[in-house]
Amino acid sequence: MATTTKKKIVQWDPAHVKAELLAKYPSKVARKRSKQIMINEALGNETPEIMANVRTTPGIITMRGCTYAGCKGVIMGPTRDIVNIVHGPVGCSFFAWLTRRNQTNAGTDGENYMNYCFSTDMQDSDIIFGGEKKLEKAIQEAYDLFHPRSIAVFATCPVGLIGDDIHTVTRRMKEKFGDCNVYAFSCEGYKGVSQSAGHHIANNQVFRHIVGENDEEKPGKYKINLLGEYNIGGDGFEIDRIFKKCGITNIATFSGNSTYDQFASAHKADLSAVMCHRSINYVADMLETKYGIPWIKVNFIGADATAKSLRKIAHYFGDQEFIDRVEEVIAEEMPKVLAVRTDVRTRTEGKTAMIFVGGSRAHHYQELFNEMGMRVISAGYEFGHRDDYEGRQVIPDLKVDADSRNIEELEVEADETRFNPRKSAEEIKALEDAGYKFKQYDGLAPDMENGTLIIDDLNQYEAEKLVELMKPDIFCAGIKEKYSIQKLGVPMKQLHSYDSGGPYAGFEGAINFYQEIDRLVNSKVWSYMKAPWQENPQLSATYGWE
Amino acid sequence: MATTTKKKIVQWDPAHVKAELLAKYPSKVARKRSKQIMINEALGNETPEIMANVRTTPGIITMRGCTYAGCKGVIMGPTRDIVNIVHGPVGCSFFAWLTRRNQTNAGTDGENYMNYCFSTDMQDSDIIFGGEKKLEKAIQEAYDLFHPRSIAVFATCPVGLIGDDIHTVTRRMKEKFGDCNVYAFSCEGYKGVSQSAGHHIANNQVFRHIVGENDEEKPGKYKINLLGEYNIGGDGFEIDRIFKKCGITNIATFSGNSTYDQFASAHKADLSAVMCHRSINYVADMLETKYGIPWIKVNFIGADATAKSLRKIAHYFGDQEFIDRVEEVIAEEMPKVLAVRTDVRTRTEGKTAMIFVGGSRAHHYQELFNEMGMRVISAGYEFGHRDDYEGRQVIPDLKVDADSRNIEELEVEADETRFNPRKSAEEIKALEDAGYKFKQYDGLAPDMENGTLIIDDLNQYEAEKLVELMKPDIFCAGIKEKYSIQKLGVPMKQLHSYDSGGPYAGFEGAINFYQEIDRLVNSKVWSYMKAPWQENPQLSATYGWE
Amino acid sequence: MLLRHTPKEITERSALMINPAKTCQPIGAMYAALGIHGCLPHSHGSQGCCAYHRSTLTRHYKEPVSAATSSFTEGSSVFGGQANMLQAIENIFAVYNPVIIAAHTTCLSETIGDDLKQIRKKAITEGKIPEGKYMISASTPSYVGSHVTGFSTMVKSMAGLAENTGKKNGKVNIIPGWVEPSDMEEIKRLTKMIGVKTIMFPDTSGVLNGPLSGEYKMFPDGGTTVEELISAGDSIGTLALGEWCSAAAARELDTKNKVPCQVLDMPFGLKATDRFIDALRIIAGVSVPDELSLERGQLVDMISDMHQYLYHKKVALVGDPDQLIAMTEFLVSIDMCPIHIVTGTPGKEFERRIKEITKDMPFAVNVRAKGDMFLLHQWIKNEPVDLLIGNTYCKYIARDEDIPLVRWGFPILDRQGHQYFPTVGYKGALRLLEKILGVLLDRKDRDDPESKFELVL
Amino acid sequence: MLLRHTPKEITERSALMINPAKTCQPIGAMYAALGIHGCLPHSHGSQGCCAYHRSTLTRHYKEPVSAATSSFTEGSSVFGGQANMLQAIENIFAVYNPVIIAAHTTCLSETIGDDLKQIRKKAITEGKIPEGKYMISASTPSYVGSHVTGFSTMVKSMAGLAENTGKKNGKVNIIPGWVEPSDMEEIKRLTKMIGVKTIMFPDTSGVLNGPLSGEYKMFPDGGTTVEELISAGDSIGTLALGEWCSAAAARELDTKNKVPCQVLDMPFGLKATDRFIDALRIIAGVSVPDELSLERGQLVDMISDMHQYLYHKKVALVGDPDQLIAMTEFLVSIDMCPIHIVTGTPGKEFERRIKEITKDMPFAVNVRAKGDMFLLHQWIKNEPVDLLIGNTYCKYIARDEDIPLVRWGFPILDRQGHQYFPTVGYKGALRLLEKILGVLLDRKDRDDPESKFELVL
């Protein structure tokens, strides 16, 4: 069905739209932005180049957040049994308190710090005389109160500037406690150009301090890690439901509803399945290099994509019994999905959408819109890199600039004792010859129609212009953008936190999303913009007395 | 302690107050009202005569309700397992729906129709062609839906006027059902001069149709009936708690939280204890005449009165063991009562109250106010008779007027098979010689200070004047009077429905009442009547800038 | 269970009404009369009626409610109540000195055929009604219609005072219908904003939401003055809000005083308020001030912001026809689904309007005029709802069935606010939305599993 | 349990703050800045601060919140943010064209010592601030004070715009402090009623409670104009509402422009509103209109009507100092007992005021400035309360401990209404009462045994 919509002719001239977006900018800004606004001409794998992962221009109202947000908020936030202490003034910790809707359940061990907010509440004296003592005391107080399995410390802007040595402090406390792993993240907000740097810093430390800490054997026949899934609105719960049904054992989710032990055991999995390519592909690489775990790109956003990803996992392991089971599950789940899809499509067919989020969501969610017969006419990432747009083949020629230079790249090598290639070179080759794709990601551009606009780091001004010029039926971004778009009478769906909905992953998720978009684009409220006296201001001559 | 307050000198001249109350009336009204406003000169038993139980003057805003309200609302309303169908237009049933706070609990049998409102919702066609058919159908529908133990029918004004023969209808349905006692009350609103006529009509029918219906022996050593207790705010629950503790078996309460079977078994009790003299003393008489059950006046309003009443019951039965048990209970309950009383008294001592309710409450509640060191400076009944003011000795010379003539007086005589004098003439005499008082009630007047004003059927105009002239610290009446009094800045306590409080009977009740009055007379809100600019309207010359 | 004897299975009843969704005419007449300044309502019947109506209105408003009664005795019921009424008139003016007496009949006085119009004439000829004092009357037999009918009839009697001087006063009559004092105040605020001069009757604002200031005014400052009622005959037109409550008076003014009228729905919710405002600005020949368009826009904004919590939620409603029609339209307009709707007031037209408003709803609607709350409860047992809107008596159903309840309508005996905060107009609709969302989200916060407990809603 | 790891036993903490009752200065500065018409707030620091503040304000108001950032990189953190700020100024005026930029610092730019005043001078000399455009700045290091301090500091910077022409303008400056847009609107209604000409700043009404009308105004119609801010120097006096929020600006006007000031509590509740109104009428030299005395009387009336449900109920409070002081006084004045009171904002004076207000209460009070919600929760575990009043984060305590919650303060992320319905003034106090009674009575209706379930409350 998706093809039928593909055929539709785009109603506007992308070049004109692009020109309009740039018109108002000072020339310097215009030059830069023009490189980040790409008119899609993707044909197979040749994609025009887009500028991404570069600084936002000061004064331009961006959607982006900071490195701390990417590290604490996105990656470590969803882990439920680690006490996350933010070292800094109170704000950074306060603002990241429960605002991302990454769900957790306390599980059988009953450990869940998700609803708590921990801060060293730095005062000016700490800035002047240093905050290490206070940090140490805070860690001690947390330990005494909760005796957690692990304590993580996050640096905010001033920490780096005043030179608190948080890593030494945490190492000392770890040794002191013995039964509690303590480590720190140098994720000061000013680092990098977006949350993306924070993801990297977080994942590096997880890999360095936690992964491999638990060598116990884990039961399960088909053991995988799910990388880059953050359980927003319960996505992870739905995916785990499907895994369980299929007989897949999820050793570790990075990092939705995860536990310290999941990370510690990640090296026990036999395959890494990567959801959000942006935030975590390098961890997948490291897991392979150090432990011999191959990885594949998957996507559980969209019912068809979910089916495809499950098949891909099944084929990796290759057991016919497993492959059959997966087919059974898909056959069981799809009918209700299709029933709702068919109904909803009668109301959504041919409508248009824009998506500006993330990472990978701006790409993944196109699956769902296509399933509803809706066309994505413009999209882009908030903190993506070129490979997320154009595909991994561009990675070798990504330039390292002043902002990315200082984001640590871990050097890993095969673990002497624990490296164990899950598939031999021959097996890998055999699979690849049969068309199986390892560590491949082609990016967003190839999946978008020609003539659509792909825009990196879209800002508020451009968003408003885009909506004015292209009049989408729905716009997807984050909370900061939600209401300025809706003021224009266009429904706006958050795809970071999902507003209030979810899960949208997997089969149940697809149903939820269809219904949510149906609700949004067909809500009566959009017809109330104008009052009767605004619709026809002139006074009717003959006033209808009875 | 009460005596100390008695000593206080009255601050106003009652004759002046009385004159003020009458000043504005047309002479005809003034003449009549002057007979209903009595300056108390009670000395022992000689009380001046007051005019009571007479018509309210049309146009004078009275506190009174109608006969239907007294019959359905007061007497039959509290009975939980009888389906009370009001035959008439919807209003009468609607307005009596759950508005009196007489509490019930479904008990083990689980029967409780308290929360329901049943009406034949008479329409004009019923008025024109008669409503008997509809009534019959309504009874049938109630029976089919609920299969209750009993169904009662209440006549509203038009029923009597159009001549529906409700008694024939109910008799017919009773015979038809066999397992459900059905009967009716001719309690049209226009009968009599107040609720009082309704009490009478209700009690007569209860006695005629229910009492004596169940001859099963009831277990229990000290069996009594509690007459005229309506479980407002849970009073009856508290009294039953105390009875239970003392070993007293309450066969039938008329009619708080009562059941059909309690009424039916009332003749099995060995003593009738009368709370509300007004509404039910004649039932006590009939129980004695027909079944040989003596009666005494009791009062469980006030901790001291409660103790006194318990002792009176104990002495009737005479067993030392029982008498001792009662003393134990009193000794057990009084300390907490006295503790609260002592504390509260520091804030209530010497304050003044007015009470205009009921029946008997205007008398009973003086006990509680006295226990708090408060003085009742004016009181009266809404629907009392002369004997309620002056004592039963006046009963013989009460005149029967046009309004009371048609209120049926049951002629009862000793039941051939079941009459059984619980005490022999000798026993009675012995008790009386020892100072024991059977069926005695001296009325309200003797218990009030000289110079206080006793006013029958107080109306809104007089209430406002009284408060203006005598400035009580608290005023007690009903919901209709509550807010006009409070507008004057005087707290007003409902003693029909207790507003929201209760129980106020027994020992727990006394504590509740002390605390409630303490709250009312000491609430900060009474100090907020005037705004600062009303207290000193002139503008301060020097305006205090910092 | 509080209503433990209510079976799920529904059996037809033709004679027994259980848990009524209406009460009788006189209380409506009394409430309307309180909306005239200096008016003492008078109940021509037994004492009980008056006592019951005063008690119920007092419990609803937590305010004093004065009204007199003819205190019928058995004798007067036989020989007629004229003597009582005449005596009452005399005493009332002597003792309470109101500007006007608004008397209504009861089932009793109607059954025996008392004619208040004739009694009034007699009182006048006997000089029992002093110079410059007035009396109006309404025939309100309890066995016809409902409290709504009684209200409407008394309002019509007010219109009876209207006179024609031949010179138009440039004002618009507004008949707000049975709404709260706060609603009447809000309607005055709206008309003032738009710049329309109005005569609104009745007007209970300032009467039944009075201050506590240490003085008791038997006749508070509020209410429509008799002078205004008289002048209503010279108005350029009448806007009647609510067919059931207000149309009769409007048509009376039309036929009797040739004041043209338009009957609108009560301005609850977005669309009904739109129609009210649009009608006003057209009469006034002015353009609607931005200030008011802003209030409208704020309402639309909140609907869009919280739409996800409203969408396709099932609602049960009980109340009076005019209010329910507007509320049903409002709920449908915000994508909620009112599926059970009951009023106790007769009138097939009600069912037609409701069916029309709900015709595109994804669920079928149960609607009943002349129904009762027992039936509503049974409907709910058979098809549960997410929300219940109605008067205080609904709390028994709400607790038994564990359904969120928004108190709205008459009587509200157990909560405060209705006296002070309007639910008419755009601001009123915002308040309704706030209340609806409040109970729905409280329920969500109560029932969400811990893993899905939400900080941000 | 949502807060399953919170122990009842209280241990002193000196370094670890858990579940803060405050946040950092910059968001306060941003909220204040939004109260200037045509103003674009600017966060001089990393992108994250700005993103977080905009998100939180957006969630609280469900409205767009525009603000720019200097987007610090590692480089600028080393070499200083001046270049970023200058570039930002240029881009902001080019792309968004606000009337004024209100910039504030962050812990980052403060730690490296950026001086916005000096940067502003440079921008002016370099012509980066166009004719007739303005820029103000506030130094708001996150590691000092709290969001309240940041608000106060930015308001003080607004006062910096005030000029003296030598001719008084006959107006009174009103500094409302950190209250809701609806509260600011209500304060304007009250001053207008009394007939005082005012300049109120900041004023977020019409900015953060905007309509949905199909158009997006980056700079909405509301807000104090720069002209008014300049004219504030010619006012006859200043009323500052709240020592923590508003006094600094008032004193600045006093010393800098010789405009005398008086600092009052925020007008929440009866007594604080009385003092506010009394101060106003004295300044204006007018008598208070009956209309306003009526509103007061209605409040007193409702207190008396529902007193039995309030009397001696225990309350826990968390929020900001000025609000809590007024709320505590209000609760005590209606015979409720606030026994646990926490603010995150430092200041011993807070504890002194609270102790003084609660000194005659029948229960001892726990009060803590610079406390946190973890401590509040522990206090509650040790001495339970009947009611909890605070921001949305309280819902986790409320659910765990099964305590009725009234949402009041900042932020409220899960309910609507605060944008539209004020809690200041007499009407606001009525609304607070309605909400308090609502949750208390809902609880009673939930918990009463069936035999004691009440129709009338």
Side-chain angles (χ1 to χ4, degrees), chain B residues 170-363:
Chain B
T170 49
R171 194 177 316 108
R172 192 163 61 241
M173 297 310 278
K174 174 182 180 178
E175 285 153 12
K176 179 178 177 191
F177 298 148
D179 62 354
C180 175
N181 192 353
V182 190
Y183 38 84
F185 300 84
S186 289
C187 53
E188 286 83 353
Y190 53 74
K191 290 186 172 167
V193 301
S194 73
Q195 295 93 306
S196 177
H199 307 148
H200 211 133
I201 291 164
N203 286 316
N204 285 346
Q205 292 296 75
V206 168
F207 196 83
R208 174 186 277 132
H209 291 283
I210 315 179
V211 172
E213 286 295 295
N214 181 352
D215 280 330
E216 280 167 27
E217 282 313 318
K218 296 281 172 185
K221 196 159 173 196
Y222 311 112
K223 289 183 276 191
I224 71 165
N225 295 322
L226 182 61
L227 271 50
E229 177 5 77
Y230 303 104
N231 202 28
I232 304 299
D235 279 352
F237 291 148
E238 165 65 2
I239 295 170
D240 284 339
R241 178 188 73 84
I242 297 167
F243 282 174
K244 194 151 175 290
K245 215 167 158 184
C246 295
I248 299 166
T249 305
N250 183 0
I251 297 293
T253 299
F254 287 63
S255 56
N257 188 41
S258 59
T259 60
Y260 176 87
D261 186 66
Q262 284 184 33
F263 293 144
S265 313
H267 62 299
K268 291 296 184 183
D270 297 322
L271 174 69
S272 292
V274 174
M275 272 284 283
C276 175
H277 175 265
R278 171 69 270 123
S279 57
I280 205 157
N281 65 84
Y282 37 88
V283 172
D285 285 334
M286 292 191 285
L287 281 165
E288 177 155 30
T289 315
K290 185 165 182 184
Y291 300 106
I293 307 169
W295 71 268
I296 56 172
K297 177 75 176 69
V298 295
N299 173 25
F300 292 101
I301 301 299
D304 302 344
T306 299
K308 198 158 147 245
S309 298
L310 291 172
R311 292 189 174 109
K312 201 166 172 188
I313 292 168
H315 282 103
Y316 169 80
F317 289 98
D319 300 5
Q320 194 53 45
E321 164 203 20
F322 180 28
I323 293 169
D324 297 345
R325 177 56 194 155
V326 164
E327 290 306 329
E328 277 166 42
V329 171
I330 294 167
E332 223 177 280
E333 298 276 338
M334 282 307 280
K336 25 180 199 347
V337 176
L338 291 174
V340 178
R341 185 190 291 179
T342 316
D343 166 46
V344 166
R345 241 185 122 121
T346 61
R347 292 179 297 274
T348 53
E349 185 79 52
K351 290 196 186 308
T352 59
M354 295 182 174
I355 317 179
F356 293 94
V357 277
S360 305
R361 292 172 182 270
H363 184 192

Side-chain angles (χ1 to χ4, degrees), chain B residues 395-454:
Chain B
I395 292 179
D397 35 287
L398 293 181
K399 10 183 171 11
V400 176
D401 64 13
D403 300 310
S404 35
R405 187 171 302 107
N406 303 348
I407 309 304
E408 176 187 46
E409 288 291 345
L410 282 192
E411 288 305 329
V412 297
E413 50 201 29
D415 186 287
E416 296 117 357
T417 62
R418 298 181 291 182
F419 178 80
N420 152 32
R422 306 309 202 260
K423 297 258 182 208
S424 67
E426 299 65 36
E427 289 170 311
I428 295 280
K429 182 160 186 325
L431 275 163
E432 284 178 333
D433 293 346
Y436 198 91
K437 304 245 181 281
F438 285 97
K439 41 182 148 177
Q440 187 193 37
Y441 178 54
D442 295 339
L444 161 156
D447 284 345
M448 286 188 72
E449 291 177 43
N450 290 4
T452 54
L453 282 130
I454 298 176

